Amino acid sequence: MATLQSKSAASHTSRWFLAMAAGFLLAGVAHGQTKNSCLECHSILTDNLGVTEEKFSQDIHAQKGLTCASCHGGDATSDDPEVAMGKKAGFKGKITRAQIPQLCGSCHSDPAVMRKYNPSLRTDQLSQYHTSIHGKRLATGDTKVAVCVDCHSVHDIRPPNDPRSTVYPLNVPATCSRCHSDAERMKAYKIPTNQFAEYKKSVHHQALTVRGDLSAPTCVTCHGNHGATPPGSSSVAAVCSTCHVFQAQLFDSSPHKSAFASAGLPGCVTCHSNHGIQHPTDAMIGTDDKSVCGQCHTEGDPGFVAANSIREHLAQLAAAIDRSDQILSKAERSGMEVSQARLDLVQTRDTLTKARVTIHSVNVARVQQDIQPGLVAADKNYEAGKDALKERNYRRYGLGLSLIAIALVITGLRMYLKQIESGQDSQTT
Ligand code: HEC
Ligand code: HEC
Ligand code: HEC
Ligand code: HEC
Ligand code: HEC
Ligand code: HEC
Ligand code: HEC
Ligand code: HEC
Ligand code: HEC
């Protein structure tokens, strides 16, 4: 005990010595404007004590006129560290991880404070945070979870719509994965650390990063910014329906809705997974190894029969569309005008797309209702192609005939000319 005390007393003395020295160094520097002795000292300190003006000027709090003392307390007008960082001036000392949410929340959950700056800014971050796994675990003393600064950074906090912000949609996955992809850090919790790796392969990541579609979900769209599920969704798994409305309506009308619920299975995620969602194909339907239906339905049960039937219907329409596509391409290559039929084929494809949505009802009759008009339309597209080729053949035939006629006339003329020439020859000799 005694050694511990003397050790900390020694380090305390040396830290204050360091502070005095830094203060001395800066004694003559930068007066005028609004004095910020904190920055003057801390911009020349290193490691976690260093805070540069360059960095802090990027911080939304600095931009709104807040200072170091707004968060840390202390007196920024004094070069004397005993005063600047003194108890009298309300200096808080080290802010531990466990204290951070309360500190940030001291302003952010106070509508009276925030309204003065930005009335439209929400003030529920701290209360939301308390409902999240992060917040709940922190309350039990686990400081390995995310606190405000892990997601927002510190001393260069930016609004979420700034592309350089750690919480800008494109940067969110990297921010979360600093912990969630760190197997060592997450070892104690026995949860997977593959969420980012999986998400990177998903249609959503693709839409977000390749097409720049900011409406595609990132980690926080599904899990909630502050870790709770978003309002209106009873669970994270239900969040899909906020964007994929039609599939959700059909799923809700299907026998799976109650069957999955009573088996404790999530809805969409059971068939699509959560993080590594892939572009679905017709191969997912049916009863073979590649299908999802075959994982639960076995030979002879009504689901098994329906799965195969739906797959057949889709395949039939897909084949009909292919056939029409091929004949139209052939017609185009031979210079026939089939642009109307092409346009119609696009519409026919839409019926197939619609059917692929309707499959979420797992109702064969409903799928058939989409397929049937598609098949009729595809046949019409095919006939249009066939007619065009017939027309081409007819023209070719006509062209052939006229070429033969022309050739005959030319040969006739030649022979006639030859005759005349030979007649003249015999006359002159
Ligand atoms: C004269 C230079 C100087 C001034 C002025 C100064 N600091 Fe410090 N500060 C230091 C040094 C050196 C340390 C590290 C030694 C220590 O922990 O006491 C430090 C430590 C800190 C710490 C970490 C405390 C801990 O216990 O880990 C914070 C936070 C801090 N300063 C904030 C401020 C704020 C806010 C101001 C302005 C109100 C300020 N400082 C003014 C030099 C200064
Ligand atoms: C919006 C609130 C806020 C403002 C403004 C702010 N800080 Fe901090 N600062 C924090 C928080 C929170 C931490 C703890 C970060 C952590 O533990 O990761 C911290 C940490 C520090 C530390 C490191 C302490 C340690 O022991 O690791 C220093 C030094 C410090 N701040 C100095 C400053 C200075 C100097 C300024 C002004 C230029 C400033 N801070 C402005 C919130 C703020
Ligand atoms: C002293 C009060 C105060 C404290 C403490 C505080 N903030 Fe702020 N914060 C503000 C004010 C004021 C704004 C500016 C709001 C505006 O005008 O948009 C702001 C803005 C923000 C924004 C940008 C919001 C936006 O969309 O514009 C974020 C993010 C933020 N703070 C996070 C934090 C975090 C994280 C902490 C704790 C480390 C913290 N704040 C501590 C007062 C505070
Ligand atoms: C797990 C990561 C995470 C943690 C922890 C976290 N935030 Fe956020 N926060 C976000 C994300 C992501 C956004 C951006 C939301 C968006 O794009 O609109 C955000 C947005 C904000 C905003 C802007 C206004 C808003 O609500 O959209 C403020 C202010 C804010 N957070 C403060 C805090 C405070 C205070 C804490 C601690 C109590 C905190 N955050 C903890 C991730 C986090
Ligand atoms: C500072 C590290 C850290 C950061 C950053 C972080 N987390 Fe966490 N997160 C944790 C820890 C530790 C747990 C606790 C694991 C547990 O209890 O299973 C956790 C738990 C979770 C859980 C609950 C997991 C479960 O047990 O079911 C979710 C969901 C989650 N985090 C999402 C996010 C998202 C989304 C982000 C980014 C916006 C994020 N986290 C950022 C450390 C972090
Ligand atoms: C499209 C929605 C969606 C996106 C995007 C998403 N998640 Fe999830 N996540 C889920 C669902 C659904 C679960 C399963 C939750 C449940 O069963 O309650 C889950 C589970 C988790 C878990 C618990 C452990 C596990 O793997 O089952 C963590 C941690 C997690 N996600 C973190 C993340 C991180 C980090 C990101 C971003 C890289 C992310 N999630 C992106 C929907 C999503
Ligand atoms: C914030 C909105 C949003 C949420 C939440 C969301 N998605 Fe998506 N989803 C999109 C966007 C945007 C695309 C890309 C659209 C596209 O490719 O046509 C997409 C694409 C998809 C695709 C691929 C579609 C295709 O034709 O390739 C599937 C499957 C999918 N999402 C399933 C899910 C599931 C399952 C969930 C819940 C775990 C979910 N989505 C949550 C917006 C969302
Ligand atoms: C029983 C398994 C199953 C469930 C549950 C399920 N899907 Fe699907 N989903 C599929 C199959 C199979 C396809 C592929 C259709 C095709 O391409 O032939 C698909 C395709 C999709 C597509 C892309 C094609 C389209 O436009 O519809 C999206 C988006 C989608 N599902 C979202 C969802 C959402 C959201 C939920 C939850 C409301 C959900 N799915 C539930 C099996 C399922
Ligand atoms: C996670 C397991 C699971 C998957 C995957 C699954 N089902 Fe089901 N399905 C069920 C359960 C459970 C029921 C409730 C009736 C039962 O026990 O057969 C059901 C019921 C059905 C029914 C109603 C049967 C009846 O009794 O009228 C049809 C049709 C059906 N499923 C088709 C499909 C199709 C098509 C797919 C693939 C796109 C699929 N299912 C994927 C578990 C599943």
Side-chain angles (χ1 to χ4, degrees):
M1 195 65 202
T3 45
L4 234 173
Q5 257 168 6
S6 63
K7 208 172 144 199
S8 82
S11 86
H12 189 78
T13 328
S14 68
R15 287 170 105 191
W16 277 109
F17 179 75
L18 193 65
M20 296 296 269
F24 182 73
L25 248 164
L26 281 165
V29 184
H31 277 276
Q33 302 162 17
T34 350
K35 177 154 180 71
N36 187 344
S37 66
C38 324
L39 201 50
E40 284 166 14
C41 268
H42 282 276
S43 62
I44 59 166
L45 292 171
T46 50
D47 299 329
N48 58 349
L49 289 176
V51 183
T52 62
E53 167 143 38
E54 195 193 2
K55 184 175 186 178
F56 190 57
S57 66
Q58 305 289 313
D59 193 300
I60 176 81
H61 300 99
Q63 287 165 6
K64 296 287 169 169
L66 301 182
T67 65
C68 316
S70 309
C71 287
H72 289 286
D75 178 358
T77 61
S78 171
D79 291 323
D80 180 354
E82 299 272 4
V83 179
M85 297 185 288
K87 276 248 147 49
K88 253 200 199 148
F91 183 63
K92 293 173 187 159
K94 179 166 175 70
I95 300 167
T96 64
R97 287 177 63 77
Q99 292 167 338
I100 289 173
Q102 281 308 328
L103 167 71
C104 309
S106 66
C107 295
H108 281 284
S109 53
D110 186 341
V113 172
M114 296 315 294
R115 206 178 301 124
K116 280 188 280 184
Y117 294 90
N118 183 348
S120 66
L121 203 63
R122 303 168 58 148
T123 49
D124 63 349
Q125 296 87 8
L126 181 61
S127 58
Q128 289 280 313
Y129 177 75
H130 285 320
T131 68
S132 74
I133 301 263
H134 296 140
K136 283 182 185 157
R137 282 201 163 269
L138 188 74
T140 68
D142 180 351
T143 54
K144 281 209 277 201
V145 295
V147 296
C148 318
V149 295
D150 293 311
C151 296
H152 288 285
S153 79
V154 66
H155 302 139
D156 58 351
I157 298 174
R158 294 178 167 95
N161 60 2
D162 180 333
R164 289 164 307 169
S165 162
T166 47
V167 295
Y168 183 69
L170 285 167
N171 304 332
V172 163
T175 298
C176 309
S177 68
R178 261 187 26 243
C179 297
H180 282 283
S181 299
D182 182 343
E184 195 51 42
R185 185 178 187 120
M186 301 305 290
K187 207 161 80 187
Y189 304 100
K190 301 187 169 58
I191 58 169
T193 46
N194 64 349
Q195 296 89 10
F196 188 31
E198 287 293 308
Y199 175 71
K200 250 190 203 154
K201 295 186 252 167
S202 75
V203 282
H204 291 142
H205 183 258
Q206 173 92 1
L208 185 73
T209 57
V210 178
R211 296 211 305 269
D213 182 351
L214 295 187
S215 72
T218 70
C219 318
V220 293
T221 324
C222 294
H223 290 286
N225 295 336
H226 296 104
T229 51
S233 304
S234 54
S235 75
V236 176
V239 77
C240 322
S241 58
T242 57
C243 298
H244 300 288
V245 179
F246 293 125
Q247 288 85 354
Q249 279 169 357
L250 289 158
F251 174 75
D252 285 349
S253 74
S254 81
H256 284 150
K257 168 81 170 175
S258 62
F260 283 20
S262 60
L265 292 169
C268 323
V269 168
T270 301
C271 294
H272 289 288
S273 85
N274 49 12
H275 298 125
I277 298 169
Q278 295 297 306
H279 173 66
T281 66
D282 295 350
M284 278 172 72
I285 308 174
T287 50
D288 57 11
D289 292 346
K290 284 187 201 132
S291 77
V292 284
C293 323
Q295 288 164 18
C296 298
H297 292 290
T298 48
E299 182 105 50
D301 82 26
F304 188 92
V305 176
N308 282 332
S309 171
I310 292 174
R311 171 73 171 271
E312 261 168 40
H313 286 307
L314 291 175
Q316 206 186 348
L317 180 51
I321 289 174
D322 255 8
R323 191 172 79 129
S324 310
D325 185 35
Q326 276 169 17
I327 201 164
L328 288 178
S329 298
K330 200 167 161 192
E332 275 161 352
R333 278 197 305 274
S334 46
M336 299 307 292
E337 154 59 34
V338 288
S339 54
Q340 186 55 46
R342 267 279 172 229
L343 270 177
D344 294 344
L345 187 62
V346 171
Q347 270 178 25
T348 311
R349 272 187 219 282
D350 287 346
T351 63
L352 181 56
T353 307
K354 188 155 170 266
R356 285 174 176 149
V357 178
T358 309
I359 64 107
H360 289 94
S361 69
V362 294
N363 182 325
V364 181
R366 285 181 77 171
V367 176
Q368 237 172 343
Q369 264 173 30
D370 293 333
I371 297 282
Q372 212 45 49
L375 284 174
V376 173
D379 272 349
K380 260 174 80 182
N381 302 144
Y382 183 75
E383 288 306 321
K386 228 164 94 181
D387 287 348
L389 284 184
K390 229 189 248 161
E391 170 78 13
R392 179 203 65 177
N393 287 347
Y394 179 74
R395 285 189 203 164
R396 276 192 186 165
Y397 182 65
L399 185 71
L401 278 183
S402 44
L403 281 178
I404 291 170
I406 291 167
L408 283 175
V409 172
I410 291 175
T411 339
L413 276 173
R414 276 242 182 96
M415 281 163 67
Y416 180 67
L417 281 174
K418 266 211 181 116
Q419 246 177 21
I420 296 176
E421 272 173 16
S422 64
Q424 282 175 346
D425 277 356
S426 59
Q427 267 179 16
T428 46
T429 48

